Amino acid sequence: MKNKILSTILITGLLFFGSCKDALEYTPTGVLSSSDLTSATAIDGLVTAAYAAIGNGDMIGPIYSDWVYGSVRSDDAYKGGGGTGDVGEIDALEHYNLTTPTIGAFVTRTWQNLFKSISRCNVALRAVNTLTEANYPAKKVRLAELRFLRGHSYFIMKKLYKNIPIFDETASDEEILKVSNTLSNDESWNKIAADFQYAIDNLPATQPELARANKLSAQAYLAKVRLYQAYEQDDKHKVVNINKTRLQEVVTLTQAVISSGKYALSPDIADNFVPESENGVESIFAIQFTVNDGTTAGRMSYEDGLNYPHGAPQYGCCGFHAGSQNLVNAYTTDANGLPNFDTFNDKIADLSTQTVDPRLDHTVGIDGHVYKYDNTKLFSNSWVRDPGVYGNFHTMRFQQLASSNSYFKLGPFMGTAKNYDILRYDDVLLMQAEAYIQLGQQASALPLINQIRNRAAASTGRLKKLDGTFASKYNIKPYSATGWTQDFAWKALMWERRLEFATEGSRFFDLVRWGIAEQTLNAYITKEKVRRPFLATAKFTAGRDEYLPIPQAEITFTNGLYKQNPGF
């Protein structure tokens, strides 16, 4: 958001710096509070600060980048870095069975950072409600934006922890301390959905400032909530029913976004991962970041700051988030340009002869292949920090070139001003396709999935080496209507989501939503631990490892009001 809304952050941010003795009773501290703010300009600043808060995570308390929680905990990637003891809490999360409720630097800190963002929304909601529409004509829209932002943070919390306390701006400090985390799964989803429904009912389809939430982004987000909710879980996280009414809601909501004509797939998937095309036609809602904005270090994103090549002189640190062999194998294709569904992981793919989906080279750093669209500096195995443990692959979707005007180095760590997409049009297409397939209307899903595959096929322009050749042999084709049964369509949908969003952090949550995390991840470990012995003791336990534990510090603080998730 390189416009008015971010310039306001620089002013209003001064009102909110400070710490809290506990996330639940967090109040933004500083010179002013909501009770001191009576002018429309000042209250608009509170709204802007709530936008800022959803980007206020950090490398060890991430709230928007899911590289740890959704990528490393899946079959997409290894932790990487300088061996298993380097940021060992991520190693514990990767092993599943080493995760404990006392992992403070990740499990606890992420919980607290998310509640800080929720608290900012509630502070701003209370302040906005002190004014009349006559004094504050934007009141209705700002209330809707704040509820959208609050719904976003609660959604992230729920997909991470499942059993969370939910309270709104009307709750006093005393009342907040009495809110338990024992709502039923359906009740908590409905509370989150209510925020997005309010946003749908009160936001315009287009906002005068580019990056504010609008009606369509709220519809897309509610579709995501309903899609997760459709896979009904029991108290041990087992999927026991797929709710077709919820799936039909997903179809209706995504169709509203698609038929609006406001969004579309970018011509090249690379457009989603470079700053020059941010806030483009595919971006439905994004967290906004800046650099060179008059401040010391800009408004930067650091949550992926550990994940640059370690040996490359232009970076220097730290080699985390290494693509898995399983993921690389998943990008291989057969003679018909389709995935090798059943045989992809039988052996290590020989990339000098095997045909692949072009999205591989937008996702994984591979020796001798173009790195982040710079064909003057091909990726080198010498850039890998610990190949003996984690192999030679790297990731790069969220990295930026050191020559990019969005790149900033702070000490050994890297930040970027590239916006962070929360909702994209490709996700909307695949959410609708998923709902259609589960409803038995797989024919309607076929053109949606093929849109994604056709775009992937066209996404090779930035992957050429200096001599005009490609390091990979690309072969990707759309699916045929012949043989497009519900079972085959479902397999294709699951595959397409993995390839389209690989290393972006959605994979683990997809597996949990579909109810196949245990079987998929233990099969992955069985094969992968032979290739990567550091995984020898890893094991995923159904009924426990689908979610993070409730932080023990929060249970202690509430005198046991919060109940621990099963198995911890």
Side-chain angles (χ1 to χ4, degrees), residues 183-198:
L183 281 173
S184 73
N185 206 34
D186 218 40
E187 285 177 304
S188 55
W189 279 128
N190 283 336
K191 282 182 175 289
I192 297 168
D195 274 345
F196 290 117
Q197 187 61 57
Y198 184 92

Side-chain angles (χ1 to χ4, degrees), residues 38 87 100 120 162 178 214 347 361 364 400 424 486:
T38 57
V87 194
T100 69
R120 278 208 191 176
K162 187 178 182 178
K178 297 177 183 178
N214 62 44
K347 60 183 179 180
D361 286 323
V364 181
Q400 297 301 324
R424 291 204 311 259
Q486 186 178 24

Side-chain angles (χ1 to χ4, degrees), residues 48-363:
T48 299
Y51 273 98
I54 65 171
N56 278 358
D58 51 65
M59 283 185 286
I60 59 173
I63 61 174
Y64 54 86
S65 170
D66 275 323
W67 77 269
V68 172
Y69 300 129
S71 185
V72 170
R73 280 204 301 164
S74 79
D75 45 4
D76 274 3
Y78 318 125
K79 174 182 75 70
T84 58
D86 189 8
V87 194
E89 291 183 354
I90 306 177
D91 180 70
L93 291 163
E94 184 172 14
H95 278 75
Y96 313 111
N97 54 350
L98 301 179
T99 303
T100 69
T102 56
I103 295 182
F106 279 87
V107 171
T108 300
R109 190 156 169 167
T110 292
W111 175 286
Q112 293 173 345
N113 283 341
L114 284 164
F115 262 122
K116 288 177 183 180
S117 66
I118 290 163
S119 294
R120 278 208 191 176
C121 290
N122 285 337
V123 166
L125 282 162
R126 287 193 290 271
V128 172
N129 274 317
T130 65
L131 297 183
T132 65
E133 286 196 48
N135 294 330
Y136 190 39
K139 178 177 180 176
K140 183 173 70 172
V141 171
R142 296 295 179 260
L143 289 173
E145 290 177 45
L146 289 165
R147 291 192 64 172
F148 176 97
L149 295 172
R150 185 175 66 188
H152 160 74
S153 293
Y154 273 132
F155 175 83
I156 301 301
M157 287 203 75
K158 183 151 181 66
K159 76 174 186 177
L160 289 173
Y161 303 94
K162 187 178 182 178
N163 297 309
I164 60 172
I166 299 179
F167 50 87
D168 64 20
E169 73 279 8
T170 65
S172 66
D173 290 346
E174 293 75 19
E175 289 168 335
I176 288 172
L177 292 175
K178 297 177 183 178
V179 177
S180 75
N181 69 329
T182 56
L183 281 173
S184 73
N185 206 34
D186 218 40
E187 285 177 304
S188 55
W189 279 128
N190 283 336
K191 282 182 175 289
I192 297 168
D195 274 345
F196 290 117
Q197 187 61 57
Y198 184 92
I200 291 168
D201 294 340
N202 292 282
L203 286 174
T206 300
Q207 290 267 39
E209 291 163 314
L210 182 65
R212 291 189 185 273
N214 62 44
K215 181 185 184 75
L216 297 168
S217 53
Q219 287 171 316
Y221 220 138
L222 182 56
K224 184 176 282 285
V225 170
R226 295 308 193 196
L227 185 61
Y228 272 73
Q229 188 178 12
Y231 296 87
E232 296 175 351
Q233 298 179 353
D234 64 15
D235 58 2
K236 296 295 180 64
H237 318 321
K238 182 180 180 181
V239 176
V240 294
N241 182 54
I242 300 177
N243 188 312
K244 293 188 175 181
T245 299
R246 295 301 184 203
L247 292 173
Q248 188 56 56
E249 288 183 72
V250 174
V251 171
T252 301
L253 288 160
T254 52
Q255 189 55 39
V257 178
I258 293 167
S259 63
S260 74
K262 183 174 181 177
Y263 304 105
L265 293 177
S266 298
D268 189 322
I269 194 174
D271 295 332
N272 293 313
F273 309 115
V274 292
E276 293 77 15
S277 46
E278 64 186 11
N279 290 329
V281 68
E282 194 162 349
S283 178
I284 294 175
F285 182 74
I287 300 172
Q288 308 289 310
F289 294 100
T290 61
V291 66
N292 298 325
D293 55 10
T295 62
T296 302
R299 166 72 178 164
M300 307 291 292
S301 170
Y302 287 101
E303 288 194 8
D304 294 290
L306 294 171
N307 301 345
Y308 282 79
H310 187 72
Q314 62 268 44
Y315 302 114
C317 189
C318 291
F320 283 74
H321 202 192
S324 73
Q325 185 65 57
N326 183 288
L327 176 65
V328 171
N329 288 350
Y331 277 108
T332 63
T333 59
D334 64 17
N336 297 314
L338 301 179
N340 290 303
F341 291 117
D342 300 320
T343 61
F344 81 100
N345 205 35
D346 286 352
K347 60 183 179 180
I348 293 175
D350 182 351
L351 298 180
S352 67
T353 59
Q354 175 68 60
T355 60
V356 297
D357 184 314
R359 286 172 290 189
L360 171 65
D361 286 323
H362 293 272
T363 307

